[in-house]
Structure formats: C-alpha cells, structure tokens
Amino acid sequence: MANTSSRTLRLLSLLQTHRHWPGLELADRLAVSERTLRRDIDRLRELGYPVSAARGTDGGYQLAPGAVLPPLLLDDEEAVALAVGIGDAAQSGIAGMEDASLRALTKVVRVLPPRLRARVDALRARTLSAAASGPAVTAGVLTAVAQACRDEERLRFGYASRGHAPTEREVEPHRVVALGGRWYLVAYDLDRHDWRSFRLDRLTDPTATGARFRPRPLPAEDAVTFVQAASGAPAPYTVEAVVHAPSARVRQAVGQWGTIEPLDRDSCRLTMTSTSLDWPTQALGNVGAEFEVLGPPEFAAHVQEWGARFLRAARAPERPSSS
C-alpha cells in the first residue's frame, strides 16, 4: 500500500479530472478501504481543497471548481534548473511561450530562498545559449517587472540610458518583451508623459509602488512592434524554401534556427525567420542541395545577387604569377 502522502497526491490527481467518483470505485483505485478514503478526503479538505461529497446510491466525491494544483516539491538543484530553464523558454521564439514562461518564472522565483535566487542569477549570467545570448538580466528584476505588468501596478526604478546619467523613473508597465537576445519593458513614462521601452539590463531596483492604474491604449499594433520601432530594429523576414534533401540532413545543417516540414523522403519545406537575409542564404548553402525559394521576393533577389557574385568570382581570369 502506498504511504499516506503519496496516496493523498494520487487521490488529488484523480479528483482533478473533475469527474464524479463513486466512493467504492475511488477506494478501489487507491487500493484502500472506504474508511481510509474518507480520512484521505478529510486530509485534502484540511489542506484547502474543496472536495464535495454526496450520500446515497449515487453518492461519491468530486473536486469543486477553483481547486488549485498540489504543492510541487523540488530539491535545490531541481529548483535552480527549473528557474533557469523557464527563463530561457521565455526567449525560445515559440508562439505563446513568452507570457506563460514569464508567469511561471514569477511564481517560481517568488518562493525561492535568497541563496537559490543568487544561484539562478549567477548561472544565467554565465551561461550562453541561442535563446538568451544578450546581456544577463537577474531573475529578481525580470520577475518584479513582469509581476507589476500582470498586476497593473505602477513601478519605480533606476535607469541608465547609454551616454546619459542614471535617472529615477516611475511608469505604468504594460508588457515585457524578449527581442534580439534582450529583454525590454514597454511602459508609459509618467514623468515624460509618453510611451517608452526600457532595456531590463539597464534597469535597477524595480519597486512596485502599490498604486494601481487603468491601462492606456498602446500606440502600436502590439508591444513587440513598439519595441522594434523604438529601437530601430528592422522587421524580420520569414523565408520559405523547398529543399531537395531529406529533412534529417537539412535539420543537421540548419539546427534550431529553422522549422522543417517533410514533404517526402527526399524533400522538405524550410522556414526561417531573420532580420538579415544573409543568414538564410548561408544556411541553404550549407545544406549543399538544390532548392526553390517560395518567398519573400526580397529573399529571391538576394539569392540571385549572391549567385551572380559567386559566378563572377569563378569566371575571373587568373592573375599571372610573378617570377
């Protein structure tokens, strides 16, 4: 028979399917008596889980709406690995991952003891990855800013723009954006009465003031577009090509920088997103296979320009050797 704590978690897992469990069936699943089951149900209620019970022939148990997830027990190494991994996931480029990762990171870091927070910050500062290649931002700064955005609470912090003396800012935070290996805060600056984007690696001591605010309309399609315009970063190209090579071969050459969709045994569709057209051109050249460009037109013209340049180099007459 499972010990009491593991059995309680198993019971909670079954109840979280939100179906109605007859008492006898639930007891059979846990391999316990109905009396033991009733004690386990009472234990869950003491922990704050609202378990409803019904008597009679149709009696049984069901977890009421609004119940939360069970406590997650991690050792020190697991907690540090989880926090670092979530931080990198927020910059993975996977659609929908950024906001969920920031929410998760905020929750994890908030419950870490100071000694583990320091380890998370040290590890992230000394680790380079494709997902997080820009200046290191401490988990404390990142989560404090993300939480203020979530709670719609005014934020005060120190900020040092390039070439300017540090200043104190008070803002209405809107959204945290991961772009080009850097973290940005998009916020309405209350002193300058305008929208601004702030690099988090230049931001110090973010403190929530406790003052709530009503969100203002952002003067851009979304926060990413606003940061791109404010930083002067060019809009990325989405390059698509059909490559006449097995998907495994293309994946080996391109790695995580492209999305590969097999078409048949000997060809696949490759999609890459980049602010420069040089990288997709080089990546396709590294595959060493025939390919057709599907778009955009700028990329087709770029490939033609590269091809013409290589042809000119190949046809250049050899220079006479000096004797």
Side-chain angles (χ1 to χ4, degrees):
M1 182 181 296
N3 61 46
T4 301
S5 59
S6 63
R7 189 179 66 241
T8 302
L9 289 176
R10 170 64 175 157
L11 171 60
L12 183 57
S13 177
L14 291 171
L15 290 172
Q16 283 180 330
T17 63
H18 293 296
R19 58 165 286 191
H20 175 83
W21 287 93
L24 185 58
E25 182 181 351
L26 196 54
D28 288 342
R29 283 291 193 101
L30 297 170
V32 298
S33 67
E34 290 189 78
R35 182 179 178 181
T36 300
L37 174 62
R38 287 193 293 272
R39 287 201 300 266
D40 290 346
I41 292 291
D42 289 339
R43 187 174 294 108
L44 284 180
R45 289 169 175 159
E46 291 171 0
L47 292 173
Y49 294 97
V51 182
S52 60
R55 297 182 180 277
T57 55
D58 296 328
Y61 302 96
Q62 187 171 16
L63 193 63
V68 297
L69 292 173
L72 187 62
L73 303 178
L74 302 172
D75 62 29
D76 287 4
E77 299 299 329
E78 291 170 336
V80 170
L82 181 63
V84 173
I86 293 174
D88 284 346
Q91 292 179 289
S92 65
I94 301 173
M97 183 67 73
E98 178 183 331
D99 287 346
S101 298
L102 283 176
R103 291 197 304 272
L105 185 62
T106 299
K107 294 175 182 178
V108 171
V109 171
R110 191 167 52 208
V111 298
L112 288 179
R115 59 186 175 81
L116 294 188
R117 291 190 193 184
R119 288 180 59 186
V120 170
D121 291 339
L123 186 57
R124 294 191 74 240
R126 290 165 175 77
T127 302
L128 296 178
S129 69
S133 57
V137 176
T138 67
V141 167
L142 183 58
T143 54
V145 173
Q147 188 169 341
C149 292
R150 182 199 65 187
D151 296 340
E152 297 177 353
E153 188 173 353
R154 288 182 178 179
L155 191 67
R156 188 179 295 118
F157 52 83
Y159 192 71
S161 301
R162 177 175 293 180
H164 295 83
T167 58
E168 290 292 321
R169 303 292 185 96
E170 185 169 344
V171 304
E172 294 176 353
H174 174 72
R175 185 65 58 86
V176 174
V177 174
L179 183 66
R182 292 186 173 90
W183 290 99
Y184 297 87
L185 166 65
V186 175
Y188 186 83
D189 192 316
L190 294 169
D191 294 324
R192 289 153 180 79
H193 305 289
D194 199 4
W195 287 88
R196 292 286 191 272
S197 66
F198 302 93
R199 278 179 45 175
L200 294 196
D201 57 294
R202 297 176 178 171
L203 186 152
T204 57
D205 300 323
T207 304
T209 66
R212 299 296 180 90
F213 63 90
R214 178 172 302 196
R216 306 169 189 259
L218 180 69
E221 180 181 353
D222 53 40
V224 174
T225 303
F226 182 85
V227 172
Q228 288 173 333
S231 63
Y237 297 96
T238 299
V239 170
E240 292 184 302
V242 171
V243 185
H244 297 286
S247 57
R249 174 179 165 186
V250 177
R251 186 172 291 106
Q252 185 176 12
V254 177
Q256 65 175 326
W257 302 107
T259 301
I260 300 163
E261 176 190 353
L263 300 177
D264 53 44
R265 288 182 55 189
D266 300 315
S267 64
C268 59
R269 179 194 297 265
L270 174 63
T271 303
M272 291 175 283
T273 301
S274 174
T275 56
S276 168
L277 293 175
D278 288 337
W279 158 243
T281 305
Q282 180 181 343
L284 283 165
N286 290 341
V287 176
E290 297 291 326
F291 63 90
E292 287 94 43
V293 175
L294 301 180
E298 296 90 340
F299 182 60
H302 195 75
V303 171
Q304 290 176 347
E305 180 185 342
W306 269 49
R309 190 180 306 132
F310 281 114
L311 282 174
R312 289 194 297 270
R315 293 170 182 169
E318 294 185 2
R319 295 182 180 178
S321 59
S322 57
S323 57

